[in-house]
Amino acid sequence: MPLFGTLRMPRNLVFGAGQRHALAGYATALGSRALVVTDERLAADPEFTRIVDSLKQAGLDTKVSDGTIAELPVECIARAVEAGRAIGADLVIGVGGGSCLDAAKVAALLLTHGGKASDYYGEFKIPAPILPLILMPTTSGTGSEVTPVAVVTDPDRAVKVGIASPYIISHTAICDPELTWSCPPGLTAVSGADALTHAIEAFTTLRRQTTNMIVHEHVFIGKNALSDNYALLAISHIVSSLKRACDNGGDIEARERLMFGATVAGLAFGTAGTAAAHAVQYPIGAMTHTPHGAGVAVMMPYVMEFNRAHCEPELVEIGQAMGLDLTGMTHFEQASATIDALDALFASVGIPKTIADLGVLSSQLSLVAEQAMGSARLIKNNPRPIELDTMAILVEAAFSGDRTALRAAATSR
């Protein structure tokens, strides 16, 4: 195929210890009335108070909305929108984990264009630019600070649903690893595993035949030369730092490398997209109320095995990026070693082995498969075409823990 690459990313991306202090300088250039979206725990943190005070001292009229809760039910976004309207916000700042950043995105959207979040579900449903966004993550996981998607929980939907548009990419992302130092080991593990899954899925997504309209036909365009570079960079940094950061939260180098990896993984999948692991996690998350990062991480080794025949060279490159010694092995053995190493890394930080361990029941497997197929933007990105019967095979293997069953079925379609 001809060389092709593109990136969807913020205008400004700042990474480094202490860079949170750059916030006010960016904010004053974008607006005068700032809505700051966060959660209740962070709102009580002294460092967050200092961040808000810096905005006020710079002359911004600032209103904090701290009603964000995990998994982002749409009703909590309404409170942020109400707070923004009360001050006539012309700038939205999100500070926190992925749910806080996604809440800021959707609040900025609704403050600009009105309506309900459900009006914008899917791809390219946002008609025009939204209020300027500045996003500052406090976890090393979702990469939402740099991506064109926000994911919400809607009580009228069985699974979580996404709003995907280049218009909700932040204007400025500020990534300060010092903000992650207090992140507990369990959250560090599931967030970092989520980021690693983003990078692996971005690197193994379908490479589409390029056309001169491809960037307007898909928000997530699939594997390309630029996203590949960021995906491999992310894999290298996350694999070398995830367990270290979980074992010792005070390991500053590990915290830096993990956040750096999560952010560049966001750059990779924010353009290339994710695939089957995320599609299956959406119904599982709704059924079991387990963390998103745990669900996608459980699925990833099974998805890699399922896709093996369609991306074996990429699996070898992933193993090399992980730092594995693959010399003297066949390609099949190299790919197997890569999947095994990922499985072992996730186990070492407490990620469960199967979706049964997450609480999925055998009686729910057919529903998981059916609902996973409903995530069209993810299914169409998978390197191996998926239909309901092959999705059922994947889900059954992830339930039983038998990856060898996927090897037998790897070339069935």
Side-chain angles (χ1 to χ4, degrees):
M1 283 191 176
L3 188 63
F4 169 76
T6 189
L7 287 175
R8 303 192 190 278
M9 61 189 300
R11 179 174 299 181
N12 302 303
L13 172 55
V14 184
F15 181 93
Q19 293 306 311
R20 63 191 179 279
H21 301 299
L23 173 62
Y26 282 111
T28 54
L30 293 174
S32 59
R33 298 177 301 280
L35 171 67
V36 182
V37 179
T38 190
D39 58 33
E40 188 175 6
R41 183 190 67 82
L42 266 172
D45 187 280
E47 187 55 44
F48 178 84
T49 300
R50 285 188 283 271
I51 289 170
V52 172
D53 286 346
S54 74
L55 296 171
K56 294 177 178 178
Q57 290 164 10
L60 278 84
D61 184 6
T62 304
K63 176 70 173 178
V64 174
S65 176
D66 63 0
T68 307
I69 58 178
E71 305 305 317
L72 198 56
V74 288
E75 58 266 23
C76 77
I77 298 171
R79 295 193 289 273
V81 173
E82 183 179 353
R85 286 182 179 144
I87 64 165
D90 55 11
L91 166 67
V92 178
I93 300 170
V95 182
S99 292
C100 292
L101 305 188
D102 283 359
K105 289 177 174 180
V106 181
L109 163 62
L110 297 182
L111 285 167
T112 307
H113 296 300
K116 307 181 298 295
S118 58
D119 297 332
Y120 306 98
Y121 293 165
E123 295 184 295
F124 293 119
K125 297 295 179 61
I126 301 174
I130 64 173
L131 290 181
L133 273 166
I134 300 177
L135 300 179
M136 186 182 298
T138 60
T139 61
S140 300
T142 68
S144 182
E145 66 273 11
V146 297
T147 69
V149 64
V151 179
V152 303
T153 300
D154 188 324
D156 295 329
R157 302 284 181 119
V159 297
K160 292 172 75 172
V161 62
I163 298 171
S165 167
Y167 287 132
I168 57 171
I169 300 174
S170 67
H171 177 282
T172 297
I174 301 174
C175 305
D176 187 336
E178 290 182 349
L179 295 177
T180 70
W181 287 1
S182 62
C183 192
L187 181 56
T188 298
V190 296
S191 298
D194 186 22
L196 185 51
T197 299
H198 290 155
I200 292 171
E201 287 213 286
F203 192 68
T204 55
T205 52
L206 180 71
R207 189 191 297 275
R208 291 187 173 87
Q209 184 69 44
T210 56
T211 69
N212 57 8
M213 293 297 289
I214 189 171
V215 295
H216 302 299
E217 293 167 344
H218 309 277
V219 174
F220 302 103
I221 65 164
K223 184 177 175 64
N224 67 87
L226 288 171
S227 66
D228 280 356
N229 184 58
Y230 283 111
L232 291 175
L233 182 63
I235 290 165
S236 174
H237 279 274
I238 297 168
V239 168
S240 66
S241 61
L242 176 57
K243 183 165 172 51
R244 286 171 54 191
C246 292
D247 290 347
N248 177 12
D251 185 332
I252 294 173
E253 181 188 33
R255 288 292 197 186
E256 288 182 333
R257 294 192 70 179
L258 187 58
M259 182 176 235
F260 185 79
T263 297
V264 296
L267 293 176
F269 94 83
T271 302
T274 54
H278 278 70
V280 176
Q281 157 55 20
Y282 283 152
I284 288 175
M287 291 173 181
T288 65
H289 305 290
T290 48
H292 170 80
V296 293
V298 168
M299 287 303 305
M300 196 68 254
Y302 301 100
V303 170
M304 292 165 78
E305 196 72 67
F306 178 83
N307 288 333
R308 173 202 285 267
H310 296 261
C311 61
E312 194 164 85
E314 285 80 9
L315 295 181
V316 174
E317 287 189 75
I318 289 168
Q320 293 167 341
M322 293 174 71
L324 303 180
D325 182 1
L326 303 176
T327 55
M329 299 181 185
T330 66
H331 270 199
F332 186 90
E333 290 168 338
Q334 291 173 330
S336 295
T338 298
I339 301 171
D340 289 344
L342 180 75
D343 202 9
L345 174 61
F346 283 162
S348 75
V349 296
I351 300 297
K353 284 284 190 181
T354 70
I355 60 174
D357 296 332
L358 295 175
V360 176
L361 305 176
S362 60
S363 60
Q364 296 174 309
L365 294 181
S366 60
L367 183 58
V368 170
E370 180 182 338
Q371 291 184 340
M373 291 299 296
S375 295
R377 69 179 173 87
L378 303 172
I379 295 300
K380 72 180 183 180
N381 249 2
N382 204 67
R384 175 184 174 183
I386 307 180
E387 297 178 10
L388 182 58
D389 58 345
T390 48
M391 177 62 81
I393 293 171
L394 171 60
V395 170
E396 173 60 40
F399 181 81
S400 67
D402 183 10
R403 287 197 344 241
T404 60
L406 294 173
R407 293 183 185 179
T411 58
S412 64
R413 286 182 181 266

